Amino acid sequence: MEQKEFNPIIEAVVTIRQYALSVSDNWSSMKALGAVLKEDMDKATGMINIYGLDATKQQWASELIDYNASKSHLEDIMQFVISRIKEKSTEGLSARWNDYPGHVSTMEASYEKMKGLGQTSLPENKRGAWGELWKGIMDSHKSIGREAKAIGIQLGLMKKCTPDEIDELSDTILKNIPSSYSTDDAHKYTEEYMAAYEQLKKEASQKKTLWDRFLDILAGGTQQTPAQRVMMQRWVDGEKGDAH
C-alpha cells in the first residue's frame, strides 16, 4: 500500500480550498452527505433487526435514541448557523456554535458503541459487511466534519472581514488551488499544491491586511493537526514580516 506522507503545506492548502468550496456551493454538499449517512445508518439498523438477538435489538434501540438526539441537536445548530451566514449576520452565532463540539463528541461515542455492538453480536458471516458499512458511515461523518470546519472558518472571518472581502478570498482561493483537493488524494499532487501555495502567497502579498486576518484564523484552528498549525503560523509570521 502506498505510504501517504503529507506535507503540512499541502494539508493547509487542502483546508483552505475546502473552506472556499463549501462557501461557493452554499453548504449544499452537507445535505447530500447527511442523506448518505442516514441511508447507511438505516442499513445498520436493518442488519441488527434481522440478525440480532432480542437483547441486541434492545441495546441498539437504546443507543439509537442517544445518537438521534445528538444528530438532532447538530442539525439544529447547522441550520441556524448556515442561515445566519447566508444572511451575513453574526447575531447569536458564537453561543450556538460553541455547543457544536460537545454534541459531536456525544455522537462519536454513540458510533463506537453501536459499531461494537454489531461486531460482537452479529453472525460471523455478516461481520465483514458490517465493517464495510461502518467504514462508509465514518467516512461520511469525517466529510461532514470537514464541512463543519469550513463553517468555523467562515464564522471567524465574519467577525474580522466584510462580506466583499470574504467573497474576494473565496474567489482567489478557488482560482489558484487544484480541483483535486481531498486529503486522501493530495499526496499525489505535490507539485500542483506547492505551485498553488506559492501563487496564494503572491496574491496575499497584494492584500496583506486581508490575508493576515484570514491566515490568523486558520493558524488558530483547533481542528488542525499540529503540523498544519505550525506551518500556518510560519506563513502568518512571514506575511506579517513582509508587511511591517
Side-chain angles (χ1 to χ4, degrees), residues 197 211-220 229-242:
Y197 172 67
W211 277 80
D212 278 350
R213 280 175 277 163
F214 178 47
L215 296 173
D216 272 331
I217 291 167
L218 294 181
R229 286 198 294 275
V230 169
M231 194 289 306
M232 195 64 72
Q233 193 60 54
R234 287 176 180 168
W235 189 352
V236 173
D237 292 342
E239 293 300 337
K240 288 181 176 178
D242 291 341

Side-chain angles (χ1 to χ4, degrees), residues 78-92:
M78 286 295 185
Q79 288 174 2
F80 176 82
V81 171
I82 291 173
S83 70
R84 284 288 189 269
I85 288 174
K86 291 180 178 179
E87 294 165 6
K88 300 181 179 180
S89 168
T90 59
E91 183 180 354

Side-chain angles (χ1 to χ4, degrees), residues 15-223:
T15 296
I16 292 170
R17 183 171 177 85
Q18 179 65 43
Y19 153 73
L21 283 169
S22 297
V23 173
S24 68
D25 73 1
N26 292 315
W27 319 101
S28 60
S29 60
M30 186 173 284
K31 292 182 180 179
L33 290 165
V36 172
L37 180 57
K38 181 182 184 303
E39 182 179 347
D40 283 345
M41 287 298 295
D42 288 345
K43 289 178 183 177
T45 299
M47 289 185 71
I48 293 293
N49 287 337
I50 293 171
Y51 301 109
L53 299 175
D54 287 344
T56 302
K57 294 176 185 177
Q58 290 174 4
Q59 286 180 275
W60 181 269
S62 177
E63 292 297 338
L64 197 58
I65 290 172
D66 291 340
Y67 168 80
N68 283 329
S70 297
K71 179 173 176 285
S72 179
H73 286 307
L74 288 170
E75 287 174 344
D76 287 345
I77 291 170
M78 286 295 185
Q79 288 174 2
F80 176 82
V81 171
I82 291 173
S83 70
R84 284 288 189 269
I85 288 174
K86 291 180 178 179
E87 294 165 6
K88 300 181 179 180
S89 168
T90 59
E91 183 180 354
L93 277 178
S94 294
R96 291 300 298 274
W97 191 247
N98 288 342
D99 291 337
Y100 182 83
H103 291 303
V104 171
S105 295
T106 302
M107 174 179 274
E108 289 176 345
S110 293
Y111 280 137
E112 285 300 311
K113 292 176 184 177
M114 296 167 85
K115 178 183 177 182
L117 188 60
Q119 286 176 327
T120 57
S121 62
L122 291 178
E124 188 171 346
N125 65 348
K126 298 298 177 182
R127 291 178 190 173
W130 183 257
E132 285 298 311
L133 183 58
W134 276 91
K135 181 182 182 301
I137 288 170
M138 297 315 299
D139 284 347
S140 295
H141 175 73
K142 289 175 183 176
S143 294
I144 291 172
R146 287 192 288 270
E147 294 279 333
K149 183 177 180 179
I151 288 176
I153 295 170
Q154 178 81 348
L155 297 185
L157 282 171
M158 287 175 68
K159 295 176 183 178
K160 295 188 175 185
C161 302
T162 68
D164 286 345
E165 287 176 327
I166 294 172
D167 289 343
E168 180 183 342
L169 279 168
S170 299
D171 290 344
T172 300
I173 291 163
L174 290 173
K175 178 180 70 176
N176 290 305
I177 299 182
S179 59
S180 299
Y181 66 92
S182 75
T183 52
D184 290 336
D185 291 333
H187 67 292
K188 300 176 183 177
Y189 302 97
T190 300
E191 185 176 340
E192 290 91 335
Y193 274 83
M194 293 303 294
Y197 172 67
E198 293 301 328
Q199 184 60 37
L200 287 179
K201 286 184 69 176
K202 180 179 177 181
E203 297 271 358
S205 69
Q206 299 168 14
K207 293 280 186 176
K208 288 182 183 298
T209 302
L210 175 58
W211 277 80
D212 278 350
R213 280 175 277 163
F214 178 47
L215 296 173
D216 272 331
I217 291 167
L218 294 181
T222 57
Q223 292 178 310

